[in-house]
Amino acid sequence: MTASDSKVSARFFLGLVALFLGELRDGLTMINMQSAFLIVSKSYTEKQAGILFFVFGMSQFLFQTPAGYIMDYTDFKVGWLAFASITTTALTLLTATTAQEYGANLGWMIFIKFLQGGVTALIPPGLNSITQGIVGEKGMTRQVSDNEMRNHFGTAIIVLTGSIMAFYMYPDIGMLFLVSPVACVGVIFFLLKINPADIDHDAARGLTSEAAAAKDANETDYSLTGPDGAPQTGDKDIASPIGNASFNFNASDSEHADGASSPLTLLKDTTLLIFTLLVFLFHVSNGTVLPLVMQTLAIGEGGVGILLSGLCIIVAQVFMVASAKICGDYSGIWGRKTLFLVGLFSVPVRCLILFMLTGIKNAQEETSVFLQVIILSTQVLDGVGAGVFGTMYILVTSDISAGTGRFSLTLGLTTAAMSIGGTVSGYLGQAIAQDLGYQNAFMILGFMACAPALGYLFFMPETLNGGKAGGMSVIEEDSHVENEETTKRTIV
């Protein structure tokens, strides 16, 4: 197999990893299904469920940036991602099998969520650093879009299966979490199909060719890869799972032996700081909307309510596939900012609609099927908002970190902001819903969602190609690459 064929094979298996990884990526896409499970089957209060996922999110926040730093240096990216997938699956099963009625063992559950949050912090930088290591910076738009599409499609299938199981097993719905090990088996199987030699660890970090060359020329470097992208062997000691990490945080760019920018240099980048803040604000407002919609449909509605709450995720995931496709095809033409704004402004619109619909629901003695379907249909906007965000925040992070050699670390920072935002949102939203009602919760969250949308509009520059949109779409890029390969074969 030629090097080119091997890269194509690696991209194929990477897409299949993303297909199965969706259900595991944030600890469990069904982290929201766990809320419904604990409240409906285990009689947890909204605040108890909120406490669990506050701990989960705080743990992700604490470990996200260190996880990104590790992924920048390690040659064992595949191993770390496999470890995270297996461990979070085991912790999910522990959640389902050991949760007691009324939160009697809440301390134990808090401990499980803390461990799970720390482990899942490895997944986003792991998947995306492997992606950039295989396709390079120029291939990220296409591959991230493809990963997100497969990710959402796989999640929709897994959650649909779990929802149908829950419908027939109601009210004891813990067995639905058996879909987690099924997803994990798929992740591990296809992950191990990827040839480690196809991962260029310099490209995975976002190092420029100049920085990589300088690193190779330095006799005391921290080289991770050879010219073919394979891990270096020989007299260099790279046996450590975290690689030859540099902890010289105070050094200037040129003084880093590995050619990467100092971590402190990243913190001086105002664009990164603004973007990180906006990511945090987005998830504070949006993170708890889906669980509240699911609970609105599930509580007091029996097995049908549980089925509808599962469909909330499925409807959103289907439209996220379309959103990811559009982002991949047109973010190179319209720019990152235009598409990002569409996603951000969809959240306050969605909350306004939910505010009105829950008002109608509260006025009814028995919720009509028609109203339940209308509430469910608002998840289309979740597919737009979260779907655009899920693809674009990775691409914008890649744009900002280009040439720094700190892609995974930068992604760790932005993902940490996402984690802490979702954590605050999880408890805040549940507390507001319990104390003030679901209708007021949607109203407050809608006002909060205006902050990141307006902030991105007025304070974030266009990050594509140094602020220049109007580049090639994914379709044009594919055609361009094919033409280049044809020309090379003709010359040879």
Side-chain angles (χ1 to χ4, degrees):
M1 181 183 292
T2 66
S4 177
D5 291 337
S6 183
K7 283 284 188 180
V8 171
S9 176
R11 287 180 60 176
F12 173 74
F13 290 124
L14 181 65
L16 292 175
V17 169
L19 181 70
F20 285 93
L21 193 61
E23 195 272 334
L24 304 171
R25 185 171 58 171
D26 53 1
L28 184 66
T29 288
M30 289 190 303
I31 204 84
N32 299 306
M33 289 293 284
Q34 287 189 37
S35 291
F37 160 70
L38 292 172
I39 292 172
V40 173
S41 292
K42 298 299 180 180
S43 303
Y44 272 52
T45 66
E46 284 87 348
K47 286 184 178 180
Q48 285 176 321
I51 288 171
L52 288 184
F53 297 112
F54 177 83
V55 171
F56 174 84
M58 282 299 298
S59 178
Q60 275 194 326
F61 169 70
L62 291 173
F63 290 102
Q64 198 73 70
T65 302
Y69 199 73
I70 289 173
M71 287 299 174
D72 271 337
Y73 282 97
T74 183
D75 289 347
F76 298 92
K77 294 177 174 63
V78 169
W80 277 111
L81 186 55
F83 163 76
S85 300
I86 293 170
T87 307
T88 191
T89 299
L91 293 171
T92 292
L93 296 178
L94 273 177
T95 299
T97 55
T98 62
Q100 295 180 3
E101 297 282 339
Y102 303 104
N105 61 340
L106 188 62
W108 167 247
M109 300 301 291
I110 288 173
F111 177 68
I112 291 177
K113 288 301 139 194
F114 180 80
L115 291 180
Q116 192 169 24
V119 168
T120 57
L122 291 162
I123 294 178
L127 175 64
N128 288 294
S129 63
I130 290 173
T131 299
Q132 185 152 292
I134 291 174
V135 304
E137 183 186 333
K138 293 183 179 179
M140 279 294 280
T141 298
R142 173 188 174 183
Q143 193 60 46
V144 167
S145 171
D146 186 66
N147 286 355
E148 290 297 310
M149 289 170 60
R150 291 172 181 267
N151 192 285
H152 295 312
F153 183 70
T155 300
I157 294 173
I158 293 287
V159 174
L160 176 60
T161 303
S163 298
I164 293 173
M165 292 172 62
F167 175 74
Y168 287 106
M169 293 186 298
Y170 183 85
D172 186 13
I173 63 174
M175 292 294 288
L176 72 89
F177 295 108
L178 287 176
V179 297
S180 292
V182 173
C184 184
V185 168
V187 170
I188 301 304
F189 179 79
F190 291 112
L191 195 57
L192 295 179
K193 292 282 187 179
I194 296 175
N195 184 355
D198 290 324
I199 303 173
D200 183 331
H201 296 285
D202 290 334
R205 300 175 59 189
L207 273 178
T208 61
S209 57
E210 293 81 3
K215 182 195 73 172
D216 292 338
N218 194 312
E219 293 182 356
T220 59
D221 64 57
Y222 293 88
S223 293
L224 301 177
T225 60
D228 60 352
Q232 284 277 30
T233 53
D235 60 354
K236 295 188 184 291
D237 181 13
I238 59 167
S240 171
I242 65 170
N244 294 306
S246 168
F247 297 98
N248 185 10
F249 293 101
N250 294 315
S252 65
D253 297 356
S254 59
E255 292 173 328
H256 263 266
D258 60 3
S261 299
S262 165
L264 292 182
T265 301
L266 295 177
L267 299 181
K268 298 177 183 178
D269 187 333
T270 55
T271 300
L272 175 60
L273 294 178
I274 292 171
F275 182 62
T276 303
L277 176 61
L278 295 176
V279 167
F280 167 76
L281 293 175
F282 173 81
H283 276 276
V284 168
S285 59
N286 184 65
T288 195
V289 177
L290 173 59
L292 292 182
V293 173
M294 292 174 65
Q295 290 160 210
T296 299
L297 292 171
I299 296 174
E301 301 296 338
V304 173
I306 290 294
L307 181 61
L308 287 172
S309 68
L311 287 175
C312 283
I313 297 176
I314 295 166
V315 170
Q317 294 294 328
V318 169
F319 280 88
M320 286 178 195
V321 172
S323 296
K325 173 66 174 173
I326 291 171
C327 289
D329 285 352
Y330 296 103
S331 65
I333 300 174
W334 300 339
R336 315 294 199 206
K337 186 169 184 175
T338 301
L339 288 169
F340 224 135
L341 287 173
V342 171
L344 293 174
F345 276 105
S346 70
V347 180
V349 173
R350 175 185 175 210
C351 289
L352 174 61
I353 295 172
L354 285 167
F355 169 77
M356 293 187 292
L357 292 176
T358 49
I360 297 172
K361 183 179 186 294
N362 292 339
Q364 295 181 349
E365 293 185 4
E366 183 176 344
T367 306
S368 65
V369 174
F370 177 76
L371 182 58
Q372 288 177 321
V373 172
I374 295 298
I375 293 174
L376 176 63
S377 68
T378 62
Q379 285 305 104
V380 172
L381 289 173
D382 187 26
V384 174
V388 169
F389 182 91
T391 302
M392 297 306 299
Y393 105 92
I394 298 172
L395 296 179
V396 171
T397 300
S398 180
D399 293 340
I400 294 172
S401 65
T404 66
R406 300 292 184 186
F407 169 64
S408 293
L409 177 61
T410 308
L411 187 65
L413 288 171
T414 55
T415 307
M418 184 171 67
S419 298
I420 192 64
T423 298
V424 173
S425 181
Y427 184 77
L428 180 65
Q430 296 288 1
I432 294 172
Q434 182 172 328
D435 294 339
L436 303 178
Y438 284 81
Q439 184 180 19
N440 288 326
F442 289 127
M443 178 185 67
I444 294 170
L445 292 170
F447 278 112
M448 291 170 59
C450 293
L454 294 173
Y456 204 99
L457 176 63
F458 292 112
F459 299 109
M460 268 296 289
E462 175 58 63
T463 59
L464 177 64
N465 297 330
K468 298 177 182 178
M472 290 187 293
S473 68
V474 167
I475 298 171
E476 292 170 321
E477 286 177 358
D478 291 344
S479 177
H480 181 68
V481 170
E482 289 175 3
N483 290 337
E484 284 188 341
E485 291 177 351
T486 302
T487 302
K488 290 178 182 177
R489 286 195 295 267
T490 302
I491 294 174
V492 173

